Amino acid sequence: MGSIASYFGNLCGGEKKQEEERYLRANDRPLNLSYRYANNAIKTSKYNIFTFLPLNLFEQFRRLANAYFLFLLILQLIPKISSLPWFTTAVPLTLVLLITAVKDARDDINRYKCDKQVNNRTVEVLIDGKLRKEKWMNVQVGDIIKLENNQFVTADLLLLSSSEPLNLVYVETTELDGESNLKVKQALTITGDIGSNIEALARFNGEVRSEPPNNRLDKFKGTLTVNKQVHSLDNSKVLLRGCTLRNTEWCFGLVIFGGPDTKLMQNSGKTTFKRTSIDHLTNILVLCIFVLLATMCTILAVGNAIWESRDGSVFTPFLPREPGVSTTLSPFLSFWSYVIALNMVVPISLYVSVEMIRLGNSFFIDWDRKMYYPKNDTPAQARTTTLNEELGQIKYIFSDKTGTLTQNIMAFNKCSINGNSYGELYDFAGQRVEITEKTERLDFSWNQLADPKFIFHDHSLLETVRGGNPEAQAFFRLLALCHTVMPEEKKEGQLNYQAQSPDEGALVTAARNFGFVFRSRTPETITIMEMGRKVVYDLVAVLDFNNVRKRMSVIVCSPEGKLTLYCKGADTIIYERLHPSCNKLMEDTTGHLNEYAGDGLRTLVLAYKDLEESYLEEWRQRHHEASTAMEEREERLDQLYEEIEKDLILLGATAVEDKLQDGVPQTIEQLAKADIKIWVLTGDKQETAENIGYSCNMLREEMKEVFIVAANTAEGVRGELQKARRKMCPDAAEEPSVVKARAGLFWLGKTETVEDEKVDGDYALIINGHSLAFALEKDLELELLRTACMCQAVICCRVTPLQKAQVVQLVKKYKQAVTLAIGDGANDVSMIKAAHIGVGISGQEGMQAVLSSDFSFAQFRYLQRLLLVHGRWSYLRMCKFLQYFFYKNFTFAFVHFWYSFFCGFSAQAVYDEWCITFYNLMYTALPILGLSLFDQDVNDRWSFQYPQLYSPGQLNKYFNKKIFVGCMLHSCYTSIILFFIPWAAMHNAVRDDGKEIADYYSFALLQANCVLIVMSIQICLDTCYWTSINQFFVWGSLAVYFAMTFTMNSNGMFVILTSTFPFIGTDRNSLNQPNVWLTMFLTCLLCLLPVVALRFILIQICPTINDKVRYKARKEVLPALAPHRRLPRRVSTRRSSYAFSHSRGYGDLVTSRRFLLKRPIRSRPALFIETDLPLAENQPQQYRTITEEPEESQSP
């Protein structure tokens, strides 16, 4: 009843107060319903059976073009105004509305079905002491529910107990955040003791106070009060709706948030609607067309007034005026009559046609086998179908590094221990030996728990560890203890690790193979095998990783009672906390880090510290107080962590390799040739990103200079940026040249554009995170933009997700260029949403980037095909479509305009009414649709051979305001020829029998014939790539026109509907006259000959890049595939350090202070099935057509 009351309260306008705190009591529905919390039903559909028609029509008529044509239809129903039958507007408008309504209805029905399916799922709910099956929609806040293995989580739940040891549960969060790896949650001790005791659960009356509903997936703050004892709640105790229970027989949970209040639904807000630059331009042009229409109608209305005053009285005896229409009123009515007659200039079918073209080109992306990645069975996907042509105009690409340019599959490669470097091989002469697949691997058969997939080659490291070297053993002991990895032992000796990041998994696996095997953990212990000996460490505390700390630590107690803090993190962070006695060792380790940087490796520094028991007890007490605080919990914990992580003793450093994806250097090289600037925005250390930049061809040794901005103050950053700018362009003005202009619909918006400055030579800019923070401030952002845009490549290091979005928005704001952001992780989502085009890579970091993207695929190398082929073709097709569309509509309307001067400005139509009705719908629709779907200037192979073909799209050369004016002038010329040549030829002309040819009906038919033939030949001239479909559409449409004309002028139609089809026999009487055919031939020739001549002259005098490549394509065979070349690994002295970019670990979860359920490990389904990781084949991309006949045909 409470939910019903809530519903009607909201329906009647009762405003719900902003919730400041969520309070509930378990098993107390009356109390919880009194707070009017939302139930668990969801509704994402927009309509129902009663509201669909009015709401959908309301939404459609909010579009300017639809509202305008509705206004026209109303005018046509007024007899004194209308010069055309109502159906000439009603039929096109109805079809447009119907097509859009069907699409909207289909989408909403799908949403409704999904809602219904979810709401009708069943779950066991504890009601009146018994478990009952209930639909999800009937679950209320405060209910206790039971979930079983592989069930979806019903609502946002507080985990109470589970079937697993330690009350752990495993959840898959694919639907929530796209991550495919399992997450681990753990119940509180106080609730875990209840287990599956139904009576105890029914008596449970714990009270929860928590934060109000919000969209933060990674955070939760609250408390649980049981028996007057307050227990802290965080994200590790909560199961979120959208997760799936895995590898857990059962669990019980308390509903905290239901339905629209769940974090899943809070995150499903409306995505920003992206519109292309052509969309914005088209809206402005449509507004200009309205002005043009009003101007034309005003001119004709004035003409009507003059004609009525001079000649109108002469015609009054046999053309009497309408009752009540005087000479003064006639011009006013004439104005509105011409608004109806000339409505063809306003393109009602434009928007529907554009959407159909975009949808078709999106299918070509989905179907492209050359962008399909078979190893992961991942095809390319156009997730947004409204941005295709924007892909052909990209000027700036913003890319993540890890998982986007690199594979994000980590391998332990090298390490530095106590000043000695391991991982390289040397011959007897001391020369470095290259490691290949044939190089002998280490034999780990002595270790029965070793991972057989682990590969290492340096025998000296294994000998050092097995020889008992204390530093080496402490090094791997730290790797085995300092982590938040969760182990799964399917059966004795078969370990599987669940890690939060591939880096951490690689390090724990390395320790495992070198004799320090992480075996299991409990909330208070960690069990490892040290060189075959089982050692159990008491886990005192986990000082977890976060983006600010960039390190993690554990405090453990050995069986001998020795307390030790083990820490690993980024080198700059750890170095600040080392004991002064480590200075010499730090210098040696830094030298090794410099060597690892040359190989583009990701590094961590390891250190430890022995602790006193008395100090630790006092520290733990303060830690407990901070961890249970409701206010400033994280800040207080950070202060405690800073206090204890001091005076560390350095052990060494690890180096993990993250290889480049296949084809990345070649792709970046191709995109650079297309004049696309690439900026890398990464969370990694400067040196790592810099060396990856060299590896992937972004940075090149032949560049004049690579500027590094690393100042720690705003003035320092300003100075470094200005110094770089002055060196690149000494003559540039000190103040940027900012061009201000009006833009947008009705020119209400304002734009500021920083003009490009010419630079002699190639430069690059590298800026780190703290410098970027200053550079993005209001007074420095233009200086950053000027300097960065002068460079061919820009790398921003150690940046936060927010900074990534800010950089993208800065370029969008001041460069007025089209941007694309590409990434594969959740930290790239803000950047992907901020850019004009967002591309997600389905990689190792989950699917969050893909879910937020406009386009997605599996490998970075497919980006060049997406842009240089699909993007360029889509842009070219859309521009050709718009040029032809405006040309044919203006021509059709302008003929009306000229005819008005010869019909007394009476708004009489020059064409047959049915020709007007079907002109855009049938006669000219399919030919341009065929061109817009299949046309290509050159095939994909030539597009790759000459990336410069992409540049005109960046400059909007194919369709802009100048091109639009050209279309109007072309239409004006064509309309003059189409009207005056037939008029002059037919004026006073007679047939062989002496009768006149030029009656109104015959002249209208002649006009329509000429227009349709000229439009058909014009589309043939515009088509570069002919297919059978194009041929069928062009000649089929012309055939349909003549078939319809003969049918409507037939005796049969006249007999059936005499008033509707009065043109009886007109076609037969006209088309049997030779002078009619001669007139049609002359008219078409004069319309088209100048077009052919002008194009011929332009190609000869000033050919475009497209003309040159097309000429070359006709003369030469297809270019051969570019041979794959390996880029030599670069040697550098720049140090690299891994920025610790993985997400927060399981630190809080694994440090519960009580062993909850001591149960033996039993057999159950594996947490993960180990499979070979899909390394990309080191082979070049082969561009073959689907038909395997590249010489003869190409698929779009």
Side-chain angles (χ1 to χ4, degrees):
M1 290 297 293
S3 61
I4 297 175
S6 173
Y7 172 78
F8 281 104
N10 292 332
L11 196 65
C12 297
E15 185 177 349
K16 187 177 179 181
K17 293 183 179 179
Q18 183 69 31
E19 190 174 346
E20 296 180 358
E21 182 185 65
R22 174 62 57 104
Y23 171 77
L24 61 100
R25 183 183 299 156
N27 293 312
D28 193 345
R29 273 198 173 189
L31 173 68
N32 298 327
L33 287 172
S34 67
Y35 290 100
R36 298 175 61 186
Y37 295 139
N39 62 17
N40 203 41
I42 62 167
K43 183 178 184 295
T44 60
S45 58
K46 297 164 61 176
Y47 314 107
N48 60 40
I49 194 170
F50 301 107
T51 62
F52 172 76
L53 192 60
L55 287 181
N56 188 260
L57 287 177
F58 174 74
E59 288 186 4
Q60 292 203 56
F61 284 120
R62 290 173 66 184
R63 298 172 186 166
L64 186 61
N66 291 346
Y68 168 75
F69 275 90
L70 178 64
F71 173 67
L72 278 188
L73 181 58
I74 295 172
L75 288 181
Q76 284 182 289
L77 298 176
I78 303 174
K80 292 183 179 180
I81 293 178
S82 179
S83 58
L84 290 173
W86 60 270
F87 57 77
T88 57
T89 298
V91 172
L93 179 62
T94 303
L95 285 176
V96 168
L97 296 176
L98 186 63
I99 291 171
T100 306
V102 168
K103 175 181 173 294
D104 292 344
R106 186 196 64 180
D107 293 343
D108 204 61
I109 288 172
N110 289 335
R111 285 191 291 264
Y112 171 75
K113 287 180 178 178
C114 290
D115 292 346
K116 185 177 180 181
Q117 179 186 5
V118 171
N119 288 332
N120 287 327
R121 288 174 181 167
T122 59
V123 68
E124 290 187 288
V125 183
L126 187 61
I127 300 176
D128 298 330
K130 295 180 180 180
L131 285 175
R132 298 179 183 175
K133 288 278 187 181
E134 285 284 348
K135 292 181 179 180
W136 278 26
M137 55 196 280
N138 297 326
V139 172
Q140 301 289 342
V141 171
D143 288 350
I144 293 178
I145 64 175
K146 179 183 180 182
L147 298 176
E148 296 181 346
N149 193 33
N150 296 326
Q151 277 190 337
F152 289 105
V153 177
T154 308
D156 287 356
L157 310 175
L158 169 64
L159 179 61
L160 298 178
S161 61
S162 85
S163 60
E164 302 306 293
L166 319 178
N167 279 306
L168 299 176
V169 299
Y170 302 94
V171 291
E172 180 184 288
T173 60
T174 305
E175 287 197 12
L176 192 65
D177 60 10
E179 301 283 347
S180 57
N181 54 321
L182 300 189
K183 308 295 190 301
V184 183
K185 305 288 185 178
Q186 187 178 36
L188 287 168
T189 304
I190 189 69
T191 60
D193 287 338
I194 300 175
S196 59
N197 188 325
I198 300 299
E199 293 181 359
L201 287 167
R203 292 194 303 270
F204 180 70
N205 62 351
E207 297 179 357
V208 173
R209 293 183 182 273
S210 74
E211 61 191 10
N214 60 72
N215 61 359
R216 295 190 297 270
L217 294 174
D218 58 340
K219 291 184 179 180
F220 179 83
K221 290 183 179 179
T223 60
L224 172 67
T225 303
V226 181
N227 299 327
K228 298 184 180 181
Q229 292 184 354
V230 180
H231 305 270
S232 172
L233 301 178
D234 57 26
N235 204 45
S236 65
K237 310 292 189 299
V238 175
L239 305 182
L240 300 183
R241 178 176 179 142
C243 300
T244 306
L245 198 66
R246 301 292 191 199
N247 296 338
T248 307
E249 290 184 11
W250 53 262
C251 73
F252 286 89
L254 173 66
V255 177
I256 300 176
F257 301 121
D261 290 344
T262 60
K263 291 182 182 288
L264 173 67
M265 298 304 295
Q266 292 281 316
N267 274 281
S268 61
K270 293 183 179 179
T271 304
T272 304
F273 180 65
K274 297 182 179 181
R275 307 190 71 176
T276 67
S277 56
I278 284 185
D279 274 338
H280 293 294
L281 176 59
T282 303
N283 286 338
I284 294 173
L285 295 182
V286 169
L287 189 63
C288 295
I289 290 171
F290 278 119
V291 176
L292 174 65
L293 176 63
T295 304
M296 292 169 62
C297 293
T298 302
I299 293 172
L300 296 177
V302 171
N304 178 266
I306 296 172
W307 188 87
E308 286 285 351
S309 63
R310 290 184 178 180
D311 305 318
S313 59
V314 178
F315 294 87
T316 304
F318 55 91
L319 282 177
R321 292 190 177 94
E322 293 277 341
V325 177
S326 63
T327 306
T328 54
L329 182 61
S330 179
F332 174 77
L333 298 178
S334 178
F335 175 88
W336 295 109
S337 297
Y338 274 112
V339 168
I340 297 171
L342 299 178
N343 70 69
M344 195 63 70
V345 295
V346 180
I348 184 173
S349 59
L350 174 66
Y351 297 104
V352 174
S353 301
V354 165
E355 292 306 315
M356 291 175 65
I357 293 166
R358 286 171 172 166
L359 183 63
N361 284 299
S362 297
F363 284 141
F364 293 146
I365 295 174
D366 295 341
W367 297 337
D368 192 342
R369 295 196 306 182
K370 297 170 189 175
M371 296 172 66
Y372 170 70
Y373 191 55
K375 287 189 175 294
N376 290 349
D377 188 26
T378 307
Q381 185 179 9
R383 298 175 55 84
T384 301
T385 60
T386 58
L387 303 173
N388 303 60
E389 70 271 13
E390 197 97 309
L391 291 170
Q393 299 180 274
I394 302 299
K395 182 65 178 177
Y396 291 89
I397 292 178
F398 302 91
S399 174
D400 179 39
K401 182 186 77 66
T402 304
T404 304
L405 301 178
T406 60
Q407 296 178 14
N408 201 24
I409 298 173
M410 310 299 174
F412 182 82
N413 192 282
K414 297 173 185 176
C415 64
S416 172
I417 303 175
N418 196 30
N420 298 312
S421 181
Y422 301 94
E424 297 285 3
L425 296 182
Y426 299 91
D427 58 18
F428 292 107
Q431 297 296 317
R432 181 175 171 178
V433 176
E434 183 181 359
I435 296 175
T436 66
E437 292 182 0
K438 297 181 180 179
T439 305
E440 182 185 3
R441 303 178 181 180
L442 287 187
D443 181 12
F444 292 104
S445 58
W446 58 273
N447 183 357
Q448 295 181 353
L449 296 175
D451 185 348
K453 297 191 208 60
F454 181 79
I455 299 174
F456 204 78
H457 300 91
D458 189 355
H459 291 266
S460 62
L461 178 58
L462 182 57
E463 293 169 358
T464 301
V465 176
R466 298 190 70 180
N469 182 284
E471 289 83 8
Q473 292 196 351
F475 181 91
F476 286 109
R477 183 179 295 112
L478 186 152
L479 293 181
L481 292 171
C482 185
H483 56 78
T484 57
V485 171
M486 304 299 293
E488 176 74 10
E489 192 163 358
K490 295 179 287 187
K491 58 183 181 180
E492 188 69 24
Q494 290 190 7
L495 286 169
N496 197 7
Y497 293 143
Q498 170 65 20
Q500 278 292 92
S501 74
D503 300 72
E504 194 161 56
L507 296 176
V508 176
T509 301
R512 169 184 174 180
N513 279 263
F514 282 98
F516 288 77
V517 184
F518 169 53
R519 195 68 182 272
S520 63
R521 69 159 76 245
T522 72
E524 55 184 18
T525 64
I526 297 177
T527 302
I528 65 174
M529 301 293 292
E530 294 187 358
M531 307 305 291
R533 182 173 62 93
K534 181 178 180 180
V535 182
V536 179
Y537 289 86
D538 291 331
L539 180 58
V540 179
V542 174
L543 284 57
D544 209 357
F545 162 85
N546 63 39
N547 286 317
V548 178
R549 285 168 41 77
K550 305 236 179 264
R551 65 190 183 277
M552 78 158 292
S553 301
V554 295
I555 301 174
V556 297
C557 180
S558 69
E560 295 78 21
K562 183 179 179 182
L563 290 167
T564 308
L565 179 144
Y566 290 109
C567 183
K568 65 180 181 184
D571 54 6
T572 52
I573 301 295
I574 301 299
Y575 281 177
E576 294 172 355
R577 291 160 175 78
L578 291 180
H579 192 274
S581 63
C582 299
N583 289 342
K584 178 63 174 64
L585 179 56
M586 185 173 68
E587 291 178 7
D588 296 337
T589 305
T590 301
H592 296 151
L593 290 173
N594 291 336
E595 296 175 8
Y596 303 155
D599 292 330
L601 303 179
R602 298 154 65 95
T603 61
L604 287 174
V605 172
L606 313 183
Y608 75 97
K609 175 184 179 181
D610 292 328
L611 300 173
E612 295 292 335
E613 185 175 357
S614 57
Y615 167 75
L616 185 61
E617 283 299 323
E618 184 265 339
W619 183 89
R620 285 177 61 189
Q621 178 61 34
R622 288 186 289 142
H623 179 271
H624 177 72
E625 294 173 359
S627 64
T628 56
M630 284 293 291
E631 300 292 335
E632 298 183 347
R633 181 187 301 178
E634 294 180 0
E635 291 79 2
R636 293 174 62 180
L637 288 173
D638 285 341
Q639 292 176 2
L640 288 170
Y641 295 165
E642 286 287 342
E643 175 188 317
I644 201 169
E645 291 171 328
K646 291 181 179 178
D647 296 330
L648 304 176
I649 305 299
L650 181 63
L651 278 173
T654 63
V656 174
E657 182 178 16
D658 186 8
K659 296 180 180 179
L660 281 178
Q661 289 187 14
D662 185 44
V664 167
Q666 293 82 357
T667 299
I668 289 178
E669 184 179 353
Q670 285 283 86
L671 296 175
K673 288 179 181 177
D675 198 26
I676 298 174
K677 295 187 177 182
I678 301 178
W679 295 19
V680 171
L681 312 177
T682 177
D684 272 358
K685 186 79 184 297
Q686 171 187 319
E687 292 79 9
T688 304
E690 183 178 352
N691 283 282
I692 291 294
Y694 277 102
S695 300
C696 66
N697 263 7
M698 271 190 65
L699 306 180
R700 300 182 299 277
E701 297 290 354
E702 60 267 21
M703 281 183 164
K704 284 194 172 182
E705 189 167 347
V706 177
F707 300 104
I708 297 177
V709 177
N712 293 313
T713 63
E715 287 306 312
V717 172
R718 184 191 302 274
E720 292 184 358
L721 289 173
Q722 290 177 344
K723 181 179 178 182
R725 174 175 54 78
R726 290 165 185 162
K727 190 164 187 177
M728 289 187 286
C729 192
D731 300 329
E734 284 300 308
E735 293 299 321
S737 175
V738 181
V739 178
K740 297 184 179 181
R742 291 279 182 178
L745 200 61
F746 302 108
W747 289 268
L748 296 177
K750 295 180 180 180
T751 62
E752 295 178 298
T753 305
V754 177
E755 295 184 329
D756 291 330
E757 297 170 271
K758 293 184 178 179
V759 177
D760 183 21
D762 289 341
Y763 296 87
L765 175 70
I766 299 174
I767 182 169
N768 59 30
H770 54 265
S771 299
L772 184 63
F774 292 115
L776 288 172
E777 292 177 356
K778 190 68 176 176
D779 58 336
L780 270 180
E781 61 180 10
L782 288 182
E783 190 65 52
L784 168 66
L785 186 68
R786 287 183 72 192
T787 307
C789 290
M790 289 181 182
C791 299
Q792 188 65 28
V794 178
I795 297 177
C796 302
C797 315
R798 291 283 177 86
V799 295
T800 65
L802 177 60
Q803 286 177 327
K804 290 184 178 184
Q806 288 174 333
V807 171
V808 175
Q809 288 164 349
L810 177 65
V811 174
K812 284 176 63 178
K813 180 179 179 181
Y814 288 110
K815 298 307 290 186
Q816 308 303 321
V818 182
T819 59
L820 180 147
I822 180 170
D824 75 319
N827 59 334
D828 302 316
V829 169
S830 57
M831 172 178 72
I832 285 172
K833 287 186 175 181
H836 292 98
I837 301 285
V839 178
I841 290 185
S842 50
Q844 301 296 317
E845 293 187 15
M847 298 287 288
Q848 187 67 21
V850 170
L851 296 175
S852 304
S853 67
D854 305 304
F855 300 88
S856 67
F857 41 72
Q859 294 283 289
F860 181 84
R861 67 176 183 267
Y862 297 148
L863 182 63
Q864 61 175 321
R865 185 167 182 84
L866 183 70
L867 300 186
L868 302 185
V869 178
H870 290 288
R872 198 178 68 81
W873 282 350
S874 295
Y875 174 69
L876 188 67
R877 292 163 180 167
M878 184 60 70
C879 292
K880 280 191 174 184
F881 164 78
L882 292 173
Q883 289 182 47
Y884 179 80
F885 191 93
F886 287 125
Y887 166 71
K888 71 182 181 68
N889 279 25
F890 281 142
T891 300
F892 196 81
F894 285 164
V895 171
H896 271 292
F897 182 78
W898 305 126
Y899 179 68
S900 299
F901 291 87
F902 295 87
C903 69
F905 303 96
S906 62
Q908 183 183 26
V910 70
Y911 303 108
D912 172 20
E913 297 163 352
W914 292 104
C915 179
I916 295 173
T917 303
F918 293 124
Y919 180 74
N920 271 331
L921 293 180
M922 292 179 60
Y923 301 153
T924 60
L926 290 181
I928 186 57
L929 187 62
L931 178 143
S932 304
L933 291 177
F934 303 109
D935 197 50
Q936 47 184 268
D937 52 351
V938 294
N939 61 33
D940 55 351
R941 191 82 64 82
W942 285 103
S943 298
F944 284 120
Q945 186 77 4
Y946 293 95
Q948 298 83 355
L949 287 167
Y950 190 83
S951 299
Q954 299 169 325
L955 304 174
N956 291 313
K957 284 190 174 181
Y958 293 150
F959 189 76
N960 49 46
K961 294 175 184 176
K962 183 178 178 181
I963 296 289
F964 176 74
V965 173
C967 287
M968 288 183 59
L969 296 177
H970 185 196
S971 300
C972 187
Y973 165 78
T974 304
S975 66
I976 290 173
I977 299 297
L978 283 172
F979 176 76
F980 286 101
I981 295 296
W983 176 82
M986 295 295 105
H987 187 62
N988 294 328
V990 294
R991 302 192 321 181
D992 295 339
D993 57 4
K995 294 181 179 179
E996 288 189 356
I997 298 175
D999 60 276
Y1000 169 70
Y1001 292 140
S1002 299
F1003 185 72
L1005 178 67
L1006 178 59
Q1007 284 287 315
N1009 289 347
C1010 292
V1011 168
L1012 266 298
I1013 293 172
V1014 168
M1015 293 303 126
S1016 297
I1017 299 177
Q1018 183 66 49
I1019 198 74
C1020 294
L1021 294 176
D1022 290 342
T1023 301
C1024 296
Y1025 182 78
W1026 283 94
T1027 66
S1028 57
I1029 298 177
N1030 292 77
Q1031 299 276 6
F1032 175 75
F1033 282 173
V1034 171
W1035 309 121
S1037 296
L1038 207 54
V1040 167
Y1041 162 70
F1042 281 107
M1044 293 279 289
T1045 301
F1046 278 101
T1047 301
M1048 292 180 180
N1049 295 340
S1050 65
N1051 297 344
M1053 297 301 293
F1054 178 77
V1055 172
I1056 297 171
L1057 293 170
T1058 304
S1059 61
T1060 308
F1061 300 102
F1063 280 41
I1064 179 172
T1066 303
D1067 51 354
R1068 297 193 300 273
N1069 294 333
S1070 296
L1071 297 179
N1072 63 6
Q1073 300 299 315
N1075 53 353
V1076 171
W1077 287 99
L1078 179 62
T1079 302
M1080 289 167 57
F1081 173 76
L1082 240 120
T1083 303
C1084 296
L1085 186 67
L1086 288 175
C1087 285
L1088 299 168
L1089 191 60
V1091 176
V1092 176
L1094 180 62
R1095 292 185 182 183
F1096 175 79
I1097 293 170
L1098 289 176
I1099 289 175
Q1100 299 301 318
I1101 296 176
C1102 51
T1104 63
I1105 179 68
N1106 301 67
D1107 297 329
K1108 294 176 182 178
V1109 176
R1110 287 183 64 200
Y1111 177 79
K1112 192 169 186 178
R1114 286 196 297 267
K1115 296 294 183 182
E1116 299 179 11
V1117 297
L1118 284 169
L1121 291 171
H1124 180 71
R1125 63 184 187 277
R1126 289 179 180 273
L1127 295 172
R1129 184 160 303 268
R1130 186 175 154 275
V1131 178
S1132 171
T1133 58
R1134 296 181 176 88
R1135 189 174 81 248
S1136 172
S1137 179
Y1138 170 45
F1140 238 70
S1141 60
H1142 68 270
S1143 58
R1144 185 179 180 89
Y1146 300 134
D1148 296 335
L1149 184 149
V1150 300
T1151 53
S1152 171
R1153 293 304 305 138
R1154 183 180 175 191
F1155 186 89
L1156 301 179
L1157 296 173
K1158 296 183 179 180
R1159 300 178 182 173
I1161 295 179
R1162 51 190 170 74
S1163 175
R1164 66 166 183 262
L1167 191 66
F1168 291 100
I1169 299 173
E1170 287 192 279
T1171 58
D1172 291 329
L1173 293 171
L1175 293 171
E1177 288 185 356
N1178 201 10
Q1179 297 293 329
Q1181 185 177 0
Q1182 301 293 318
Y1183 298 107
R1184 296 175 300 165
T1185 60
I1186 293 176
T1187 60
E1188 301 295 337
E1189 295 174 1
E1191 308 275 333
E1192 299 175 9
S1193 65
Q1194 290 290 326
S1195 63

